Amino acid sequence: MWSVSRRLVLLLPPSESKEPGGTRSVKTGTFDLALDAPRREVVTALVSLLESGRASDIEEMLGVHGALLERAIESSWAAVEQRARYLPAWRRYNGVVWGHLDPATMSAAHRRRILVPSGLYGITTAQDNIGDYRMKMNVALAPLGSLATYWRRHLTTVLVQHLAGAVVVNLLPKEHGGAIDLDHLSKSCPMITVRFVVEGEAVVAGHEAKAVKGILARQLLLNGLGALETFSWQGWRTDQNAEVSRVVAPRRKARDVVVAFDGLG
């Protein structure tokens, strides 16, 4: 295992569910300067879609319907017209992963070690301020194309510098992992990629794994990499062997759900 003196950083996905509201004042974020130009390109493309795009395209881009679509359109306009209200990302994201992470009970230093890819912002720390937005990574936004592909070059470049001297635990699903060249990044800093899978089946785990992801992320931040060896929560337990480390779920409906850890770098 790598030296405990290394800084531990987590790559964690955002949540689709977001807390509304916030304040108009905003502090400078960690990546605001480095990502200013690509963020402006995304906003310009978003303006074009909102002004002249078909309703179906806007709905697909924002990924919601009904009242949530109305809120998403309004928050998109607020973002491009620079009248958005801001909350720290750890307060904005309120889905299952973030609820079990419980970042409100952590220090600001802990929250700065959580990096969150975002279709609108590219990447932020959990401590950085963000608006109320809807923008998936796995959609295309003309003329930029796939947002994950668009962001990959920009994010990989800034992360190679930002993560120098750190050990990274990658907890991203495929959608958000595609926005970073993880193979390239792992050559410049040690990385452990966490895969949530179903025992004996070639499918990813479902909703329950989100809660486990949040709990595991919390233990990693508070207790360090040793949490990978000792992790235990509501029947989930670490099962290690020479080839792979796993966190195995209690048997339910004759199936085991596991979290498999692949060490890279």
Side-chain angles (χ1 to χ4, degrees), residues 113-206:
R113 292 195 282 119
I114 304 172
L115 302 184
V116 190
S118 159
L120 182 61
Y121 292 96
I123 200 162
T124 70
T125 76
Q127 190 66 18
D128 293 335
N129 287 294
I130 61 173
D132 182 13
Y133 74 95
R134 285 272 181 171
M135 186 175 289
K136 290 178 171 290
M137 276 289 194
N138 61 354
V139 297
L141 181 61
L144 305 179
S146 162
L147 282 176
T149 300
Y150 169 78
W151 278 116
R152 188 177 300 130
R153 173 172 56 89
H154 301 291
L155 300 192
T156 304
T157 298
V158 300
L159 289 178
V160 165
Q161 180 177 359
H162 181 77
L163 295 173
V167 174
V168 180
V169 177
N170 170 27
L171 293 160
L172 298 176
K174 184 177 180 180
E175 173 186 343
H176 299 94
I180 304 168
D181 187 339
L182 296 170
D183 289 338
H184 180 77
L185 189 61
S186 68
K187 295 175 183 177
S188 62
C189 60
M191 182 182 299
I192 301 172
T193 294
V194 183
R195 304 281 183 204
F196 291 76
V197 299
V198 176
E199 181 87 43
E201 300 181 27
V203 296
V204 297

Side-chain angles (χ1 to χ4, degrees), residues 9-31:
V9 177
L10 305 187
L11 296 175
L12 200 66
S15 65
E16 292 191 12
S17 175
K18 297 178 179 67
E19 189 71 20
T23 177
R24 291 294 301 275
S25 62
V26 58
K27 296 180 180 178
T28 301
T30 306
F31 302 101

Side-chain angles (χ1 to χ4, degrees), residues 4 9 12 16 21 32 43 51 69 82 95-96 103-104 111 122 129 191 195 206 209 225 236:
V4 294
V9 177
L12 200 66
E16 292 191 12
D32 285 1
V43 168
E51 288 182 339
L69 177 60
Q82 299 185 344
V96 175
R111 296 191 290 259
N129 287 294
M191 182 182 299
R195 304 281 183 204
L225 282 173
W236 295 73

Side-chain angles (χ1 to χ4, degrees), residues 68-79:
L68 284 177
L69 177 60
E70 295 177 8
R71 171 180 162 184
I73 291 174
E74 167 54 27
S75 64
S76 295
W77 276 116

Side-chain angles (χ1 to χ4, degrees), residues 96-118:
V96 175
V97 173
W98 289 81
H100 286 79
L101 174 67
D102 195 13
T105 61
M106 294 180 175
S107 68
H110 282 124
R111 296 191 290 259
R112 290 190 187 97
R113 292 195 282 119
I114 304 172
L115 302 184
V116 190
S118 159

